[in-house]
Structures are given as structure tokens and as C-alpha cells.
Amino acid sequence: MAGAAYNTYGKGAYMSDRALNYIGGEWCWPDGAAEIPCVNPADTRDVICVAPDSPAEEVSRAVAAARAAYPAWKRTPPPERAKIITRAGQIMAERKNAMGALVTRECGKPLPEGLGDVQEAIDMAHLAAGEGRRMHGKTAPSELPDKLCLSFREPKGVCGLITPWNFPVAIPAWKGLHALICGNTIVLKPAEDTPMCGVEFVRALVDAGVPKGVVNLVHGSGEVTGKAIVEHGDIDLVSFTGSTQTGCYVASTCGATGKGVSLECGGKNAQIVMDDANLDLALEGATWGAFGTAGQRCTATSRLIVHEKVHDAMVERIVNAAKNVKVGNGMDDGVLTGPIINETQMRRVLEYIRIGRDDDGATLACGGERMSDGALAHGWFVRPTVFTGVTRGMRIFKEEIFGPVLSVVKVGSLDEAVETLNDCAYGLSSSIYTQDVNAAMRAMRDIEAGIVYINGPTIGAEVHMPFGGVKGTGNGHREAAWTGLDIFSEWKTVYVDYSGKLQRAQIDNAE
Ligand code: UN1
């Protein structure tokens, strides 16, 4: 076996200054791998660990371990698999405070959100475990006598899971727990910014008793480790959450190498505020949707589409709210907006702000700059930013920014609001604030998005409902809920002929 093996079970990997891989039941570090440092984005002097940039050979070892474990796991009855997932959920609940703090330390989002991230994984464990007793198929009589038709779910095989940093426990859980309950074995590559969250998620499964090789963890960059997963010849399915650009590469490579692929990519989500909306409620929703998680959710509110009759009042409120948002280290009380995940991403957000101001010609109503005074000096903070006078052709209207930047667009009617919302390459989440039930129903029908909130912000999806989007956001799959099972399973149809003779469908019973 390549690499020194570190057995860190129990006390473990979390205490280590190295984020270890987990392959075939052993914690390990690939010999000679480049080291990727992981720092706290709120204070980069806080070095959390180094993770290996796992090369293709390490990915191959993980895939081989997953392949070897697959037949036995596939034959394990789903309610038995569910017991392990239930225990993993219980373990995460016991460790919730520590895991939540780790989420905040690694990815910067405020502690209540860090805890929420872990809670989402716990919820997902309950859901996936329940599915262990709901692996139902359909049965039907045949068109021929003395013949029976059955269908049931089977696992896909070895699944490569490539997950983002912004929900570093929840998204591995969405993908991983549904993959496992269906009987797949997995190779998880967590985001390089949040390797220890990946370690903690896997450690919960290991401590819950998942058999060796069923769950494997490989750290690394997208360019090295992610690429090796996507191109590997013995992976059956890749499930990816991240940018649309990378998603297109993942999809085309999986297509060329004959793998299944599920994608959860970008968003440019909008909240509509109609003239009859409760503006205080709409303001709370927009503030949370745009500046919570520093705008770094696929579901974040990035466009505020406001009816002209309440436009000025709404702008005044949101600008005032943005100016008063507490920005800082997510461990501090009352912080709504934490740091941007890393310097590259912060520079990208600042560049979009420049584009909005200079190229697009929108009006910068507040924010628009890096914050680096005092306690913020060592982090990647961007002041909550609002642009007004944004119109449909502008880049800040169209492109995903993934930062605390909100573009306000003025419209004159519900139809124009929905048309403006739909004028978008993505279609993940959306929201409308109105007290008119007919307007709400029309919006529900006409909005092109996977998720629609009525009188709620664009963020806050629950694990038991389908999660995903249309257009450039995905490729037709829905994670979590009952629909997540469809990503990670295949249907097998079985015909049982007990007539004792050859019966030819469509022929012997032809009219
Ligand atoms: C994401 O941003 O990729 O609905 C996931 C929400 C969360 C999940 C977001 N429950 O905002």
C-alpha cells in the first residue's frame, strides 16, 4: 500500500495537523503528495491543517477499495445499511457543537449556520435511514397469463462524490448517505478549502461501523484529484456540486468515459417584491438571502426585483440594512456576514463590483470594498454591497458572483417581474413576496426554477424535499428527498413466467 498508514480512529484525524485520506478502512497520507494548506478565511494566521493533493494513483487505490467492498455492501439489506446511517446521524448529533465550530473555522460562515450545516447532515441521516425501509418498487400483472412483472432499485456501483466548501458537511451527507442507503460504495473528495469537515463526516460513518472500503475519502484539488475521479475508468457515477463551468467539464468527461453524472451547479437567484408585499418581511428575507453565508450559497439571493410602487422604499430599507449588517469572524455573536472563502474568490467578487460600477454603469448604493480594518485585517471580508439601477443586459444581472452583492432591478408589473426573474441562464431558487394569493399562484406556475418560495427568502431548503434546478443549474436530477434515490440507483425489471411455455409479448396476445 502506498503511503504511511495513520490509524487515527477515535481521537483521531481531527486532532491532526494533517487531513488524512481514508482508504479501505485506513487513515493514510499519499507519499510525496503536494500539501495544500487549509486556513481560516476569517483569520489566515489560523492554519487548520494541510491536506494532500492526492494524485491519480491514490484515487485508484480508493476506487479499488470501493470496488472490492461493493458486492458485500450491495447484498447487505437496506434496513441493515440504515442502522449504520442512523448511528452516524446520532454521532454527528453528539458532536454537533464541535463539528459546527469546525465548519465555521474552515469555511467562515457564522456559527449558527455552521451548526445548521451539521443539522442538515443529521436530518439527512434520518431521511436516508428511513429510505432503507422504503426501497419500494412496483409490481404489475403481465399482459400474458401466468406471468408477473416486478421492478426494484439496484445500486449504481462505485460513486465519486465531489463536493463544495460552502456546505462542507451537509452536501457530502446529501450525496453520501443516499448513495450508501442505495447500496453504492463511495469515493468522496471534499473541497480543498474544507478538508477537515470531510474528515469529520467520514469519521462519523467510520465510528458508526461502516464496513471497510464502503466509504473512502481522498483530499485534493479539482485539477489533480477531482480530475482523476472524473476520468477514472472504474467509477460508475460522478455526483458533482460546484461551478457550472466545472460541471460542464465533469458532464462531458463522464459522457466520454461512459459514467452516469449528476450535477448541481450555479444559480442567480432572485427575490421579487410586489407592491402589496409586507416590506419588513421582504427586507428580512432579502438581507438573510443576500448577505447570509456572505452570499456564498448556490441559493443566495443575488437579484432583488422590486415593483416600482415600492422600489424607493425597498431600496432605502435594504441599503440601510446592508450598512448595518455585522461583518466579522463567524465565531462572534451577531455576525451575519462572514468572510469570503479565500483570496482568489474575494478578488473575483471585488472584480464583479468593479464591473457593476464601471462597465455595467449601475449605481453602487453601498458597500463595494474589502474590509480589512482591525480584527478583519487577516481575513477576506467584503462589505455587503447593493447595486441599484441594474438592468437585464448587465453582467452583474446575469452572472453568478458568489459574494455579498445584491442587484436591484425595478419592474412595473407581476408579468415583468417574472419575465425578468426568468431572464437567466440558471434556475435554482426563487422567491416572491406578495399578499395577493392570485399573484403568488401565477408566480408559482410561471417561474422557471427548481425551487420557489412564497413569502420566504431564496435560501432554506429542507432535506425531505427535492433540491435542484433547471437550465444551467443542473442536468435534471434532484438531490435529497425521495428523488435523491433516483440519482444513486438503477431500476431492474424482472418478468416471472410460470406458464411453462414460451409466451411472446406483443405477438401471442395480438389483436
Ligand atoms: C448550496 O448552496 O449549495 O437551501 C446548498 C439552502 C441550503 C442548502 C444550500 N439548505 O440554502
Side-chain angles (χ1 to χ4, degrees):
M1 181 188 289
Y6 291 79
N7 186 351
T8 56
Y9 181 86
K11 186 160 177 259
Y14 176 55
M15 300 305 293
S16 170
D17 58 355
R18 290 181 161 224
L20 302 175
N21 289 343
Y22 185 75
I23 297 178
E26 282 190 76
W27 294 99
C28 50
W29 181 278
D31 274 343
E35 294 182 359
I36 305 175
C38 168
V39 298
N40 182 340
D43 184 343
T44 56
R45 293 168 303 179
D46 178 17
V47 178
I48 300 165
C49 64
V50 291
D53 198 9
S54 302
E57 308 81 70
E58 184 81 342
V59 169
S60 286
R61 270 193 342 108
V63 173
R67 179 61 63 196
Y70 177 57
W73 186 244
K74 180 184 175 189
R75 280 195 303 270
T76 304
E80 290 301 310
R81 296 177 205 142
K83 286 181 187 166
I84 294 171
I85 292 172
T86 299
R87 272 202 296 277
Q90 287 162 348
I91 290 168
M92 288 192 283
E94 284 159 18
R95 298 176 185 171
K96 183 176 167 184
N97 288 339
M99 285 179 79
L102 176 65
V103 170
T104 296
R105 189 173 170 215
E106 270 197 331
C107 86
K109 61 181 164 183
L111 185 59
E113 291 190 48
L115 293 167
D117 198 306
V118 180
Q119 186 58 50
E120 202 161 337
I122 297 165
D123 295 345
M124 191 57 216
H126 292 308
L127 180 84
E131 295 297 352
R133 290 194 183 270
R134 280 193 294 270
M135 289 280 162
H136 300 135
K138 287 193 176 183
T139 60
S142 163
E143 65 185 48
L144 293 157
D146 299 329
K147 191 177 169 192
L148 177 65
C149 313
L150 315 164
S151 66
F152 51 88
R153 290 186 191 273
E154 289 210 323
K156 295 250 181 194
V158 175
C159 297
L161 313 178
I162 302 177
T163 56
W165 60 266
N166 67 337
F167 279 80
V169 181
I171 294 181
W174 288 1
K175 294 186 193 300
L177 301 181
H178 259 166
L180 292 174
I181 196 66
C182 289
N184 303 282
T185 55
I186 65 176
V187 175
L188 168 66
K189 188 197 91 63
E192 60 202 271
D193 290 298
T194 53
M196 275 301 177
C197 289
V199 166
E200 282 302 287
F201 171 67
V202 167
R203 207 164 66 90
L205 283 158
V206 172
D207 292 354
V210 76
K212 288 178 184 188
V214 170
V215 172
N216 304 277
L217 173 71
V218 282
H219 298 285
S221 63
E223 295 74 25
V224 175
T225 315
K227 186 167 180 281
I229 289 175
V230 172
E231 292 179 354
H232 200 283
D234 198 30
I235 286 181
D236 300 288
L237 169 90
V238 174
S239 181
F240 169 80
T241 297
S243 74
T244 298
Q245 194 193 0
T246 307
C248 289
Y249 154 75
V250 171
S252 56
T253 309
C254 286
T257 53
K259 297 183 193 67
V261 61
S262 90
L263 300 178
E264 203 52 70
C265 297
K268 186 73 186 174
N269 315 291
Q271 174 183 319
I272 294 173
V273 182
M274 289 305 293
D275 51 347
D276 64 342
N278 175 336
L279 292 192
D280 291 333
L281 196 64
L283 175 70
E284 272 187 311
T287 308
W288 172 228
F291 306 128
T293 333
Q296 301 170 102
R297 295 194 189 208
C298 315
T299 53
T301 309
S302 154
R303 297 177 295 158
L304 191 63
I305 300 171
V306 188
H307 194 281
E308 59 194 10
K309 286 195 187 142
V310 292
H311 175 269
D312 294 354
M314 194 63 205
V315 164
E316 195 188 325
R317 281 165 204 244
I318 191 74
V319 169
N320 192 38
K323 284 181 179 163
N324 285 303
V325 160
K326 188 167 172 191
V327 179
N329 188 316
M331 290 306 282
D332 295 342
D333 279 348
V335 166
L336 177 72
T337 302
I340 304 296
I341 186 66
N342 55 42
E343 184 176 2
T344 308
Q345 184 56 25
M346 181 192 70
R347 302 228 169 270
R348 194 167 169 266
V349 173
L350 292 173
E351 172 60 9
Y352 265 112
I353 292 170
R354 190 204 61 72
I355 289 168
R357 221 177 26 210
D358 300 345
D359 301 353
D360 289 345
T363 304
L364 179 67
C366 66
E369 66 204 347
R370 181 177 179 187
M371 296 172 79
S372 54
D373 287 347
L376 307 187
H378 300 281
W380 311 122
F381 296 93
V382 172
R383 201 180 288 286
T385 299
V386 178
F387 278 106
T388 55
V390 176
T391 54
R392 282 159 67 166
M394 294 180 180
R395 283 184 67 189
I396 58 167
F397 175 88
K398 295 193 288 199
E399 297 174 21
E400 185 175 47
I401 298 174
F402 229 62
V405 181
L406 183 65
S407 294
V408 184
V409 189
K410 195 197 276 190
V411 292
S413 66
L414 175 66
D415 285 347
E416 195 193 341
V418 171
E419 209 184 292
T420 303
L421 184 148
N422 287 344
D423 184 8
C424 184
Y426 304 104
L428 180 53
S429 190
S430 61
S431 147
I432 179 166
Y433 281 75
T434 177
Q435 308 208 49
D436 176 351
V437 71
N438 295 334
M441 296 304 285
R442 285 219 297 279
M444 229 161 91
R445 182 194 60 197
D446 295 337
I447 283 175
E448 296 166 4
I451 305 170
V452 180
Y453 289 91
I454 311 291
N455 293 321
T458 60
I459 67 179
E462 302 173 28
V463 299
H464 57 292
M465 297 305 285
F467 184 91
V470 300
K471 302 183 184 171
T473 293
N475 63 340
H477 297 280
R478 293 292 181 272
E479 296 198 293
W482 61 96
T483 48
L485 298 179
D486 295 333
I487 298 173
F488 295 104
S489 62
E490 299 277 4
W491 283 103
K492 180 177 274 180
T493 306
V494 178
Y495 297 96
V496 183
D497 192 323
Y498 52 98
S499 67
K501 58 182 187 222
L502 172 68
Q503 301 199 85
R504 298 174 302 173
Q506 298 97 34
I507 296 172
D508 292 342
N509 53 340
E511 285 169 14

